[in-house]
Amino acid sequence: MALSTDSAMTSPVANPMIPVPWRVQKARRETRDTFTLTLRPANGEPLPAFAPGQFNMLYLFGVGEVAISISGDPADQENLVHTIRAVGTVTRPMQRLKRGAVLGVRGPFGSPWPVEEAEGNDVVIVAGGLGLAPLRPALYRLLAHRQQYGRIVLLYGARTPRDLLYQRSLDQWQTRSGIEVAYTVDAAAEDWRGNVGVVTTLISKARFDPVHTTAMICGPEVMMRYVIMELEKLGVTDENIFISMERNMKCAIGFCGHCQFGPTFVCKDGPVFRYDRIEPFFKLRGV
Amino acid sequence: MAEESNNLPSVTYTLEREHLHQLFDVLTGKGYRLLGPAVRDGAIVYDELTAPSDLPVGWTDEQDGGRYRLKKRADDAVFGFVVGPHSWKKFLHPPALRLWQLRREGDGFTVIQEEAESPKYAFIGVRACELHAIAIQDKVFLESKYIDPMYKIRREGCFIVAVNCGQAGGTCFCVSMNTGPRATSGFDLALTEAMEGERHYFVVEVGSPAGADALSEISHRESQADEETTAERIVADTARQMGREMDATGIKELLYRNYEHPRWNDVASRCLTCANCTMVCPTCFCATVEDVTDLAGDTAERWRKWDSCFTLDFSYVHGGSVRATTKDRYRQWMTHKLATWFDQFGSSGCVGCGRCITWCPVAIDITEEVRAIRETESKKDSAGD
Ligand SMILES: Cc1cc2nc3c(=O)[nH]c(=O)nc-3n(C[C@H](O)[C@H](O)[C@H](O)COP(=O)(O)OP(=O)(O)OC[C@H]3O[C@@H](n4cnc5c(N)ncnc54)[C@H](O)[C@@H]3O)c2cc1C
Ligand code: SF4
Ligand code: SF4
Ligand code: FES
């Protein structure tokens, strides 16, 4: 039987599957395997508004498509910024892109960090490795509305000093922005004067009021597990903990099924989840 | 279901077997491409049809766990079988489909516009469980956050001739899932095939204006009371013959409580992760994409192909697969069908068609797996509480 045709179904919908061309404005090396691309629309289309925590699907002509978080400032009306680690078929050739090259973009997709809901609270941001990239837009937003928040704490862990992302910004934030920044590395040479150890060791030293804190966490799942345990121990409630999940993604629009995580689709229900809503599934392995 | 067999609409019509070809002619005349059951290589599959003689007249199927066999019937029944390895998803959500084509232009690219015309499918012989399966995929592709334009264009122009089952298969359990054996909605016309002595006819229900319109061009008359009674009895008899049964009460909660049940290890020791179950399932919708270029590298295409949660690649993220073991993957599949689907799309993802049981090479039986978990669950809880 033919479909019932209510207006939502018959109104012309832009095809959410087709990439739109964007041009590389700037390609910047961050670390030995990580780089940041600044993109502008190749066809003069306006930048779609995005919220901190959302991601795009980036397409390399003929090669393939990958999910990459937006890592730029949400207030920037001109540029779309992505920080990418070169790991495989698509991201390795992306590392070789120069200014002027064209990429396909679909998005933005997914759920945002609760930057507005966190107003009035202390905010604790915990990032592991590349997990800092999707958190950076949230930091920009917090800093732009600094007076709306209590204490802001950024705790960041990387493998080695050479893997620390956004070094310059880290130092600037630490000295000038009224946020407490602490970072640590898993391993370093003798001359490293900073912290060594996992990021969880920074939590108990940070100053914030656990009862009035919103926590935003992004990093490998094991790291997030330990961070959550540590925060819970201090009295941060699960409703105030937000984590960003990663799953294989082939469509970003709820059709391919690859990103399922328990009852959720990470692409459309996530990637940012309020922890209490997924807690039983997050505790299981192989889901 | 008692109430299922008692609520036939007040007016039904009778179409004589000898006039069935008129339905084919009328639909063909209206520009539809007719698709339906046909015998191919020892199975009843869905394929192009031109006339009723293309249907599996006089054939039936015998099905059990891991077993499917065609057999000649003693009569000339037109729809005297149940469902085979194909489902209608192969037309609405094709196994391989080009999503788009791009042409390189300068250092950028443009979209090669393609015609977006409805293929105007007429599905002949859609069973009640399959109507539910189609409605379930409608939810996935048309009623979620995004609309799939590829599915929409195939689905929108569809004409559906349902058939109420005159017998149940060895692996059927639509009664347990409340999806059959009677078609209650989602069709344009629904037929119940009746054979009494020399008489061979169909009792026809009209489900839409398009159905009424088609019927008006075919020789038919209002059914007599005894014909209606016969049709009701046939469907009621089918409901009593279900080859399988599944207690679906609180099924979502049951599985959410039992993510760590030892039965998952047991079934994992038998499952070959061959993915047959997901391919034959009429609701499984998962797909992957493949990006390709022509030799010169000037045109790029993206293809969408059916995929299965039983493969290791399916859940791969840098560093390894999330569902690394057979246990993880079987649990994902069955828990998706019978639990998480409710949270995602508001219904069960299983319609009780029995295909996954019949086509599993090692006869793993979803009804049996549920029973085993139900009967042996420790009251210790896990996810979803
Ligand atoms: C919501 C989301 C946000 C992300 N944000 C970023 C980001 O900001 N920066 C960044 O560098 N990476 C990010 N990733 C990971 C990134 O998508 C993968 O690194 C990328 O897909 C690898 O593709 P490849 O072809 O280069 O690698 P290959 O190893 O060749 O990929 C093989 C297959 O596995 C899939 N795959 C591999 N790793 C991942 C992964 N980690 N996540 C999902 N699918 C994967 C690929 O899509 C592909 O199907 C994000 C992933 C998700 C889901
Ligand atoms: S899970 Fe099995 S019985 Fe249920 S709809 Fe799919 S194939 Fe049919
Ligand atoms: S349950 Fe059976 S059909 Fe499904 S993947 Fe396992 S062996 Fe194959
Ligand atoms: S990425 Fe395809 S369903 Fe989420």
Side-chain angles (χ1 to χ4, degrees):
Chain A
M1 147 154 170
L3 281 170
S4 62
T5 43
D6 61 46
S7 60
M9 284 186 185
T10 47
S11 65
V13 262
N15 190 328
M17 299 176 176
I18 300 182
V20 173
W22 284 61
R23 195 176 296 281
V24 176
Q25 182 71 17
K26 203 163 79 185
R28 182 194 143 89
R29 184 189 140 104
E30 298 283 354
T31 70
R32 59 199 149 163
D33 61 357
T34 307
F35 55 101
T36 295
L37 298 180
T38 302
L39 308 173
R40 295 205 180 157
N43 298 344
E45 282 146 69
L47 190 88
F50 76 92
Q54 288 194 297
F55 67 95
N56 281 317
M57 295 299 279
L58 300 189
Y59 168 68
L60 197 54
F61 191 87
V63 181
E65 194 178 53
V66 288
I68 304 290
S69 307
I70 304 173
S71 67
D73 186 345
D76 184 342
Q77 304 284 316
E78 267 179 292
N79 305 297
L80 195 53
V81 179
H82 289 284
T83 302
I84 305 165
R85 176 173 291 158
V87 294
T89 323
V90 178
T91 48
R92 284 218 182 97
M94 264 182 192
Q95 191 176 20
R96 295 193 288 272
L97 293 178
K98 301 255 160 29
R99 182 188 161 92
V102 172
L103 275 181
V105 176
R106 295 192 295 131
F109 299 115
S111 60
W113 296 111
V115 285
E116 276 152 37
E117 298 85 326
E119 287 178 6
N121 267 2
D122 289 355
V123 179
V124 175
I125 290 181
V126 192
L130 202 54
L132 186 56
L135 281 163
R136 193 168 64 161
L139 267 165
Y140 285 126
R141 166 63 167 73
L142 299 178
L143 293 175
H145 300 78
R146 182 64 193 89
Q147 65 292 350
Q148 251 94 296
Y149 303 92
R151 292 174 188 277
I152 300 177
V153 178
L154 168 63
L155 308 175
Y156 173 41
R159 277 172 297 171
T160 73
R162 290 168 61 204
D163 293 308
L164 286 165
L165 282 181
Y166 315 138
Q167 276 261 10
R168 247 190 320 164
S169 308
L170 284 177
D171 294 335
Q172 267 179 20
W173 291 330
Q174 189 158 36
T175 51
R176 289 201 261 117
S177 312
I179 74 171
E180 181 182 336
V181 180
Y183 49 88
T184 180
V185 296
D186 297 337
E190 299 267 312
D191 59 347
W192 168 253
R193 293 173 190 285
N195 298 305
V196 177
V198 290
V199 71
T200 37
T201 58
L202 303 175
I203 295 174
S204 59
K205 294 179 215 147
R207 282 170 306 164
F208 58 92
D209 172 7
V211 185
H212 298 107
T213 284
T214 304
M216 306 179 196
I217 317 169
C218 186
E221 276 180 43
V222 274
M223 166 260 179
M224 295 201 286
R225 275 178 226 284
Y226 283 106
V227 169
I228 291 167
M229 274 162 52
E230 206 59 36
L231 291 171
E232 286 174 336
K233 243 189 271 169
L234 294 173
V236 182
T237 56
D238 290 352
E239 307 90 78
N240 286 320
I241 298 177
F242 294 80
I243 66 175
S244 184
M245 294 290 296
E246 197 177 53
R247 281 292 180 272
N248 189 301
M249 289 190 180
K250 294 292 177 198
C251 74
I253 49 181
F255 298 151
C256 78
H258 279 250
C259 69
Q260 286 179 83
F261 162 54
T264 72
F265 288 84
V266 172
C267 70
K268 54 177 189 168
D269 305 317
V272 176
F273 292 98
R274 207 174 88 177
Y275 181 59
D276 61 319
R277 302 212 165 118
I278 53 163
E279 185 247 6
F281 300 96
F282 191 70
K283 287 190 165 155
L284 296 164
R285 302 301 155 99
V287 170
Chain B
M1 306 267 109
E3 69 177 36
E4 290 244 317
S5 53
N6 280 330
N7 60 357
L8 284 175
S10 45
V11 190
T12 59
Y13 303 92
T14 295
L15 166 68
E16 296 298 334
R17 164 68 181 90
E18 68 206 59
H19 295 142
L20 183 63
H21 69 93
Q22 292 181 12
L23 176 61
F24 282 62
D25 298 342
V26 164
L27 292 175
T28 307
K30 289 181 187 293
Y32 286 105
R33 211 177 123 194
L34 272 55
L35 301 162
V39 175
R40 300 272 185 279
D41 301 325
I44 292 170
V45 300
Y46 295 151
D47 205 346
E48 303 265 356
L49 303 176
T50 52
S53 55
D54 294 337
L55 293 163
V57 177
W59 285 99
T60 193
D61 45 13
E62 280 183 350
Q63 303 195 33
D64 202 346
R67 217 172 65 85
Y68 179 97
R69 209 172 61 135
L70 284 190
K71 231 179 67 179
K72 270 285 178 197
R73 295 177 62 94
D75 58 25
D76 279 337
V78 179
F79 295 106
F81 47 89
V82 286
V83 294
H86 288 185
S87 70
W88 307 98
K89 82 173 176 184
K90 80 175 226 193
F91 303 112
L92 298 173
H93 173 41
L97 179 68
R98 188 170 64 211
L99 295 179
W100 45 250
Q101 276 182 291
L102 300 177
R103 186 182 302 112
R104 201 189 280 281
E105 237 173 59
D107 51 5
F109 57 80
T110 51
V111 182
I112 301 175
Q113 293 296 341
E114 289 179 79
E115 269 181 79
E117 217 180 284
S118 163
K120 279 199 91 172
Y121 292 140
F123 296 162
I124 312 292
V126 182
R127 307 308 175 110
C129 62
E130 300 185 301
L131 292 171
H132 283 265
I134 292 170
I136 285 170
Q137 288 211 331
D138 287 352
K139 275 241 156 73
V140 175
F141 291 117
L142 301 174
E143 294 160 42
S144 296
K145 191 165 174 183
Y146 297 92
I147 289 173
D148 176 358
M150 313 302 275
Y151 183 90
K152 183 172 188 250
I153 199 140
R154 287 165 175 72
R155 178 70 179 92
E156 251 174 7
C158 249
F159 189 97
I160 293 184
V161 180
V163 165
N164 290 324
C165 292
Q167 65 186 63
T171 57
C172 290
F173 58 104
C174 61
V175 167
S176 302
M177 304 315 283
N178 230 334
T179 58
R182 203 172 99 72
T184 52
S185 65
F187 56 82
D188 295 288
L189 295 172
L191 315 180
T192 308
E193 182 173 18
M195 302 175 81
E196 297 175 296
E198 292 298 289
R199 293 214 51 212
H200 191 173
Y201 60 94
F202 299 94
V203 172
V204 185
E205 289 161 60
V206 174
S208 74
D213 179 52
L215 187 65
S216 72
E217 298 177 38
I218 299 167
S219 312
H220 70 285
R221 58 173 168 75
E222 268 189 37
S223 299
Q224 286 148 16
D226 66 312
E227 291 167 338
E228 280 179 10
T229 316
T230 302
E232 281 181 37
R233 181 184 43 74
I234 288 169
V235 184
D237 286 348
T238 303
R240 279 191 292 272
Q241 292 167 14
M242 291 290 131
R244 292 291 194 277
E245 196 184 341
M246 183 195 286
D247 178 0
T249 42
I251 187 90
K252 175 178 116 175
E253 293 75 16
L254 176 78
L255 294 181
Y256 277 171
R257 279 196 305 273
N258 286 287
Y259 264 91
E260 304 289 12
H261 195 284
R263 183 72 183 190
W264 300 118
N265 291 319
D266 181 283
V267 67
S269 72
R270 289 172 278 135
C271 175
L272 313 173
T273 65
C274 69
N276 268 12
C277 48
T278 52
M279 297 295 115
V280 296
C281 179
T283 68
C284 276
F285 58 85
C286 287
T288 188
V289 291
E290 280 175 28
D291 284 293
V292 294
T293 50
D294 62 357
L295 278 178
D298 292 331
T299 347
E301 303 184 341
R302 174 164 301 158
W303 284 77
R304 173 164 79 188
K305 296 187 171 170
W306 286 357
D307 199 0
S308 171
C309 57
F310 279 93
T311 71
L312 197 52
D313 275 354
F314 189 87
S315 64
Y316 180 81
V317 290
H318 183 58
S321 290
V322 174
R323 291 187 280 274
T325 66
T326 301
K327 171 193 148 182
D328 296 339
R329 282 172 261 150
Y330 188 88
R331 181 177 68 179
Q332 164 63 22
W333 178 70
M334 197 172 109
T335 308
H336 188 211
K337 291 283 120 172
L338 296 170
T340 55
W341 209 293
F342 284 94
D343 285 331
Q344 294 171 347
F345 302 109
S347 75
S348 163
C350 171
V351 298
C353 74
R355 285 179 176 91
C356 57
I357 306 172
T358 299
W359 297 95
C360 176
V362 292
I364 292 170
D365 180 338
I366 189 171
T367 67
E368 193 49 44
E369 296 311 312
V370 168
R371 189 172 298 117
I373 288 176
R374 198 183 281 285
E375 284 171 359
T376 56
E377 79 166 319
S378 69
K379 296 293 167 192
K380 233 179 62 202
D381 46 44
S382 75
D385 281 5

